[in-house]
């Protein structure tokens, strides 16, 4: 079985994108959320990237 990227249905604050990325890369979800916030303020593209990821990455239906 290959490793797949999903939005988290359990560990989510908004859309589950950061929780899913954290699970995929085996990181702490708080670190991924901090990174997303930094991208939002530093590069200005974080919001757009989050929205695209929210639309493209499927929701994890396995609980």
């Amino acid at each position: 079985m290959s490793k797949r990227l999903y939005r988290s249905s359990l560990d989510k604050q908004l859309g589950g994108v950061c929780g899913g990325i954290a699970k995929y890369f085996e990181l702490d979800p708080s670190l991924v959320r901090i990174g997303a916030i930094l991208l939002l303020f530093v590069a200005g593209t974080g919001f757009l990237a989050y929205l695209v990821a929210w639309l493209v990455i499927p929701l994890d239906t396995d609980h």
Side-chain angles (χ1 to χ4, degrees):
M1 186 170 162
S2 65
K3 195 173 179 181
R4 303 239 4 222
L5 178 62
Y6 292 101
R7 289 185 292 129
S8 177
S9 59
L10 298 175
D11 185 19
K12 65 180 189 176
Q13 296 295 318
L14 186 60
V17 174
C18 292
I21 291 172
K23 185 174 181 181
Y24 183 81
F25 288 110
E26 298 176 0
L27 296 170
D28 184 1
S30 297
L31 293 175
V32 177
R33 290 181 183 112
I34 290 170
I37 291 170
L38 288 175
L39 279 176
L40 176 67
F41 289 117
V42 173
T45 58
F47 183 71
L48 180 61
Y50 190 90
L51 286 178
V52 169
W54 195 347
L55 294 171
V56 174
I57 300 172
L59 183 63
D60 179 15
T61 56
D62 297 333
H63 298 280

